[in-house]
Amino acid sequence: MRQTAPDGRGPVRYGPPAPDTGLPVLPGLAGLLSAAAGRTTPEPPGGGPVLREAASGHWWRRGLRTHPEDVVAGPGAGALLLALIAAHGGDVLLPRPCPAWWTPQARLLGRPAYHVPTPAECGGVPDPYALLETVRRVRAEGGTPRLLLLSVADDPTATVAPPELVREACEAAVAEGLHVISDETWRDTRHHPGDTVFLSPAEMCPDDVTVLCDLGGALTPAAWPCAVARFPPGDPSRADRWTDRRARVLDVLTALGAVVPGPLVPALAHALDEPEDVTALAGRSAAVHGRLAEAAHRAVLAAGSLALPPQAGRHLYADLGPLRAGLAARGVTDSLELENHLTARLGAPAAGGHRFGDEIGALRVRFGTGMFLGTTEEERAETLAAEDPERLPHVARALAEFGGALEELR
């Protein structure tokens, strides 16, 4: 992972990659990509009918009425979020902490971005009262808040916000005239989906929420760039290009030349159709990474640090503030130095909390569970197939080394 220059401790130029599954590509998906390798016709901006139809079915199965004309596809979540922010205008509100790639999108467009605290029990969704106070303060200072970004299943905290909090935050946002962008990339990586209720903001405020999903969260390899956005269903006959946000997003994607690579489309559409091989691997991957995240969580607590119990994703967000004295003895006094120290010590990316909007003085860090899978394809395949992956020798060894690295900081 590239590091920020020592003399550039302000803006973060190179964000950490999202936690990957660490798994090989499914043969069926690889076969579809190989068969389409000779395709020379580019996809249109926003995606062609095959991809948008598949995305519509993806959301229909999750209880959201969606038609192809409500969908836009782009080459990754970054490009699509950039187009969404550009299409809405105004200032942007974000939870603190938030995904590392959100704030740079707003900054790139020259839009003010304001972080709103999250409640103690989860991340991803701002505290409703703090949200209202932030909106009031921004307007009093001459700002124009118009957009709220949130993630019910969250990166970096790996939590899933409870439905009552999601409802209160969305109602507060809509009452203040904000449009909500709900990043649901990690929705299908919940560790125990039967025990964790996921409520999409689009279910409660259908006219005021755009849903964003990066397929690399659960369905496709991270190296295959594709994200899809679902806009509030409307009447196409009444759409006006100057007020229709979907049309404005298409304008931005067209200007950027941001299109999904054509040869990827058959495999991406197949993954969005969610056949058994895709859903089985996604479910198994979520369960295994969940077991590893729970084991890492126990190690963090045993070392005297703090972390919310992980519920989704392939990561864990820890607060090493209680170890401040031991870290200071090693020359670590902020999250940038913490990132450098732990990345070198663990031999794996450990992104500091400053990348996610937390104060640099707070000793917070995101660990990815991929470092526990194994170092070879054989070890990773064995981990994926195991009922108790944390008991495998190579996994147990990696977890012990992780716990030891934290214990030595006490």
Side-chain angles (χ1 to χ4, degrees), residues 249-269:
V249 166
L250 288 174
D251 287 341
V252 175
L253 294 175
T254 301
L256 294 174
V259 297
V260 178
L264 285 177
V265 169
L268 296 172

Side-chain angles (χ1 to χ4, degrees), residues 108-130:
L108 187 61
L109 292 168
R111 302 285 173 77
Y114 300 92
H115 289 274
V116 185
T118 54
E121 67 268 23
C122 68
V125 176
D127 177 87
Y129 297 102

Side-chain angles (χ1 to χ4, degrees), residues 180 290 334:
V180 177
D334 61 29

Side-chain angles (χ1 to χ4, degrees), residues 53-68:
E53 183 71 37
S56 299
H58 174 83
W59 276 306
W60 270 107
R61 289 187 293 275
R62 286 154 181 79
L64 296 177
R65 180 173 63 88
T66 311
H67 299 94

Side-chain angles (χ1 to χ4, degrees), residues 213-260:
C213 179
D214 191 322
L215 271 60
L219 298 176
T220 63
W224 295 9
C226 184
V228 288
R230 174 198 178 270
F231 291 79
D235 183 355
S237 65
R238 299 176 60 188
D240 178 85
R241 192 157 197 84
W242 300 106
T243 60
D244 179 25
R245 294 188 180 101
R246 181 179 181 275
R248 291 162 67 187
V249 166
L250 288 174
D251 287 341
V252 175
L253 294 175
T254 301
L256 294 174
V259 297
V260 178

